[in-house]
Amino acid sequence: MNKPSDFIIIPANESHMGFAEQICDEMFESAKARGTGIARRKPEYVANKMKEGKSVIALHKDGRWAGFCYIETWSHGNYVANSGLIVNPEFRKCGLAKSIKNGVFKLSREKYPDAKVFGLTTGLAVMKINSDLGYEPVPYSELTQDEEFWKGCTSCVNFQILQSKERKNCLCTAMLWDPVEKEKELKRKIEEKTKAKERLKNMQKKSSLLKRLVMKLKGNKIVTLFV
């Protein structure tokens, strides 16, 4: 049984381009097994993602490729999608998909700090990973409206459903990580924490004052007894 320590997850580069064909073949076979259709990527496309530094690769300690995911940008870089997540069948069910997702999400934030990160998926496991990263379910209207992105859905078996719904929804769940909203959320949490500390401080002051009053009253009572 493989352990997380058996793998390294790093940004892919030109030295990994030899794995491109294997990765593309496995993406296709995996999609076929799930009964969903995604635009089949050519090895040249995946290799270029590696060359551009827009992907992450997981490697087993023995040198075999274990997993992969790449970055795509839309709407002039305002939207980023982490696409093509794939794990080598030999290394599944050991938490590797989550580690790869974490890696490509971090890379996306480093390269495109102001972009909204989004995804469309029917997979519960991917939804759970996205949720753990802070993605929120959103209507399709919140996603990029770049026509090039939606062309990628034409090879999906559910494309007719998407068309009939006028691209407003489909069987996939749309999830989004919005840096502006996350910044607001962080500020709210900081404000709530500050207010909670202030309330605690006020309570401690009142408690201290009450103790002093009680001690003073006790002191006055003792003085009265001796008069």
Side-chain angles (χ1 to χ4, degrees), residues 86-152:
I86 189 69
V87 174
N88 187 326
E90 296 180 54
F91 303 119
R92 289 175 182 171
K93 297 184 179 180
C94 63
L96 190 54
K98 184 174 183 178
S99 297
I100 294 170
K101 256 288 196 173
N102 284 335
V104 76
F105 178 77
K106 182 180 178 182
L107 184 63
S108 299
R109 296 287 297 128
E110 289 173 357
K111 283 185 167 292
Y112 307 96
D114 299 322
K116 296 179 180 179
V117 189
F118 74 99
L120 278 172
T121 183
T122 56
L124 291 175
V126 175
M127 287 182 210
K128 175 66 168 57
I129 293 170
N130 286 347
S131 181
D132 290 344
L133 286 169
Y135 286 63
E136 302 284 347
V138 294
Y140 282 24
S141 58
E142 294 295 308
L143 306 181
T144 178
Q145 297 308 304
D146 193 317
E147 290 300 326
E148 285 302 310
F149 168 75
W150 294 100
K151 281 181 183 177

Side-chain angles (χ1 to χ4, degrees), residues 145-164:
Q145 297 308 304
D146 193 317
E147 290 300 326
E148 285 302 310
F149 168 75
W150 294 100
K151 281 181 183 177
C153 294
T154 56
S155 60
C156 179
V157 294
N158 300 317
F159 182 62
Q160 287 187 339
I161 298 174
L162 181 68
Q163 281 187 308
S164 69

Side-chain angles (χ1 to χ4, degrees), residues 214-227:
V214 169
M215 292 302 293
K216 187 174 181 180
L217 287 171
K218 286 183 177 179
N220 289 340
K221 187 175 181 181
I222 291 171
V223 171
T224 304
L225 289 173
F226 282 93
V227 172

Side-chain angles (χ1 to χ4, degrees), residues 9-144:
I9 298 168
I10 54 175
N13 56 51
E14 291 184 28
S15 69
H16 304 117
M17 291 168 62
F19 294 116
E21 188 168 357
Q22 290 176 265
I23 290 169
C24 287
D25 288 344
E26 192 50 51
M27 284 179 182
F28 177 73
E29 292 301 324
S30 180
K32 190 165 67 173
R34 293 195 309 270
T36 59
I38 60 172
R40 185 166 188 174
R41 296 302 183 194
K42 294 181 178 179
E44 294 79 10
Y45 181 87
V46 167
N48 195 51
K49 287 294 180 182
M50 295 174 174
K51 188 176 180 180
E52 292 177 339
K54 294 181 180 179
S55 61
V56 297
I57 191 166
L59 298 171
H60 190 263
K61 61 185 179 182
D62 64 10
R64 286 177 293 167
W65 83 273
F68 182 77
C69 193
Y70 62 87
I71 297 170
E72 285 188 307
T73 58
W74 311 98
S75 304
H76 307 290
N78 292 319
Y79 287 84
V80 169
N82 298 153
S83 302
L85 175 64
I86 189 69
V87 174
N88 187 326
E90 296 180 54
F91 303 119
R92 289 175 182 171
K93 297 184 179 180
C94 63
L96 190 54
K98 184 174 183 178
S99 297
I100 294 170
K101 256 288 196 173
N102 284 335
V104 76
F105 178 77
K106 182 180 178 182
L107 184 63
S108 299
R109 296 287 297 128
E110 289 173 357
K111 283 185 167 292
Y112 307 96
D114 299 322
K116 296 179 180 179
V117 189
F118 74 99
L120 278 172
T121 183
T122 56
L124 291 175
V126 175
M127 287 182 210
K128 175 66 168 57
I129 293 170
N130 286 347
S131 181
D132 290 344
L133 286 169
Y135 286 63
E136 302 284 347
V138 294
Y140 282 24
S141 58
E142 294 295 308
L143 306 181
T144 178

